[in-house]
Amino acid sequence: MLELRHIKKSYDHVTILEDINLKIQDGEIVSILGPSGCGKTTLLNLVLGLTPADQGRILFDGKDITNVPMEERGFNIVFQDYALFPNLNVYKNITYGLRNKPDISSKEEVDEFIELLGLKEHLNKKIDQLSGGQKQRVALARTMVMKPKILLLDEPLSALDGVIKESIKEKIKEIARDFHLTTIIVTHDPEEALTLSDKVLIVNQGHISQYGAPEEIITAPSNNFVKEFILNQLEIKRNNIFALFHQNLTNSVQAV
Ligand SMILES: Nc1ncnc2c1ncn2[C@@H]1O[C@H](COP(=O)(O)OP(=O)(O)OP(=O)(O)O)[C@@H](O)[C@H]1O
Ligand SMILES: [Mg+2]
């Protein structure tokens, strides 16, 4: 279990996160949802160990890891901008982290991740020859082969749309389930959060607005922010789809 206790973080005397208390069970998929600038990436960086907290403690499997350096925590992240190496091909990007730690994944296991993420036919390509979705899958594979104890994903689906997005969502679920991997995903899309995760963490202005299962968030939003931010956005999306459908229907009727 990962536990955050009374975590506080500020930058330049501005409080970004305040009194964050959170428990994430092993194997759970948790989405972090909230407006731009509310502190989602900061929260991931605190868990990863990239950023120190000002106050509070972080525990993993009962052990206090607050002061344990990033390399020793054994967590891994897919960054918001993927941070792939443009001068290396896909295969070299995927196996980059293994060059000094070849024991973590065997050649067969690397191949399995490549297969799982549908990257087999792209292995010799350079990064700039890939689509956005393919880049995201390379970033995911590169992180997975390191077998992290916790997988952190910062907006892994933001550049994707439609079918690809759904298929990667399924892949993430599959990987989390098969490897019993605790996964924390940052997103700003309520629909994505509600369909992908076991629990949703809603952050607003540096505070936890609500933390619960998707059905709990939908049926019992704990405050106005949750109601407005999440449910209205879903409603707007639904209305847009309906309006689009209606428009297309009208157009086709007129065309006839
Ligand atoms: N290294 C830093 N130094 C100073 N301020 C920072 C730093 N990193 C983040 N911030 C500030 O902290 C706040 C939270 O940033 P963060 O990146 O966590 O937001 P976010 O929720 O991930 O936003 P987005 O959805 O746009 O990615 C922002 O106001 C940002 O400007
Ligand atoms: Mg961010």
Side-chain angles (χ1 to χ4, degrees):
M1 186 175 72
L2 176 74
E3 189 176 354
L4 271 59
R5 287 189 192 159
H6 305 295
I7 290 291
K8 181 180 185 240
K9 176 72 191 173
S10 19
Y11 283 120
D12 310 323
H13 307 290
V14 178
T15 303
I16 307 295
L17 292 167
E18 181 132 47
D19 200 26
I20 299 292
N21 293 287
L22 189 63
K23 283 183 187 168
I24 299 178
Q25 304 298 333
D26 289 346
E28 259 182 346
I29 301 184
V30 172
S31 287
I32 306 179
L33 196 57
S36 181
C38 74
K40 303 181 294 296
T41 297
T42 305
L43 193 55
L44 287 195
N45 288 339
L46 286 163
V47 172
L48 184 67
L50 194 64
T51 314
D54 303 342
Q55 282 174 29
R57 317 238 45 100
I58 302 177
L59 290 94
F60 183 63
D61 286 346
K63 192 179 145 222
D64 191 327
I65 58 160
T66 317
N67 298 316
V68 172
M70 180 170 68
E71 316 78 68
E72 288 168 33
R73 290 191 191 187
F75 306 162
N76 214 331
I77 189 165
V78 176
F79 287 106
Q80 212 159 356
D81 60 1
Y82 328 130
L84 296 169
F85 302 111
N87 52 330
L88 300 181
N89 71 18
V90 166
Y91 189 78
K92 286 190 172 146
N93 264 278
I94 294 172
T95 52
Y96 191 83
L98 294 171
R99 72 201 188 290
N100 296 325
K101 298 175 178 172
D103 297 339
I104 294 180
S105 281
S106 66
K107 166 96 179 56
E108 289 70 32
E109 286 170 320
V110 172
D111 288 346
E112 201 183 319
F113 282 120
I114 289 169
E115 188 76 41
L116 189 68
L117 289 160
L119 290 167
K120 215 170 164 184
E121 64 265 51
H122 305 296
L123 294 178
N124 293 319
K125 288 187 184 168
K126 286 278 174 63
I127 297 306
D128 63 8
Q129 296 172 307
L130 300 176
S131 72
Q134 288 161 352
K135 282 182 200 161
Q136 261 167 338
R137 280 181 278 155
V138 174
L140 202 55
R142 182 180 63 170
T143 306
M144 295 307 308
V145 298
M146 300 311 289
K147 299 197 185 138
K149 292 181 201 150
I150 295 184
L151 174 63
L152 305 164
L153 302 165
D154 202 346
E155 307 248 10
L157 308 172
S158 59
L160 308 177
D161 53 27
V163 179
I164 300 271
K165 190 168 184 162
E166 286 311 311
S167 83
I168 299 211
K169 237 181 350 187
E170 285 310 310
K171 287 274 175 275
I172 293 172
K173 272 191 193 171
E174 206 176 304
I175 290 169
R177 195 179 51 232
D178 291 357
F179 295 86
H180 199 66
L181 181 60
T182 309
T183 307
I184 310 178
I185 304 180
V186 165
T187 175
H188 60 258
D189 178 351
E191 192 185 354
E192 190 179 300
L194 294 165
T195 53
L196 183 63
S197 32
D198 300 307
K199 292 248 187 76
V200 180
L201 174 76
I202 298 167
V203 180
N204 185 30
Q205 296 183 339
H207 292 272
I208 294 179
S209 219
Q210 189 168 4
Y211 182 43
E215 52 274 22
E216 220 176 303
I217 307 273
I218 292 175
T219 56
S222 64
N223 55 59
N224 273 340
F225 175 77
V226 175
K227 244 186 240 168
E228 280 160 25
F229 182 72
I230 312 292
L231 304 180
N232 286 357
Q233 272 198 65
L234 288 177
E235 192 66 25
I236 289 166
K237 206 162 177 174
R238 206 173 301 133
N239 289 342
N240 282 346
I241 292 169
F242 185 75
L244 194 70
F245 178 72
H246 186 74
Q247 186 62 46
N248 285 344
L249 202 67
T250 315
N251 289 349
S252 8
V253 169
Q254 276 166 359
V256 172

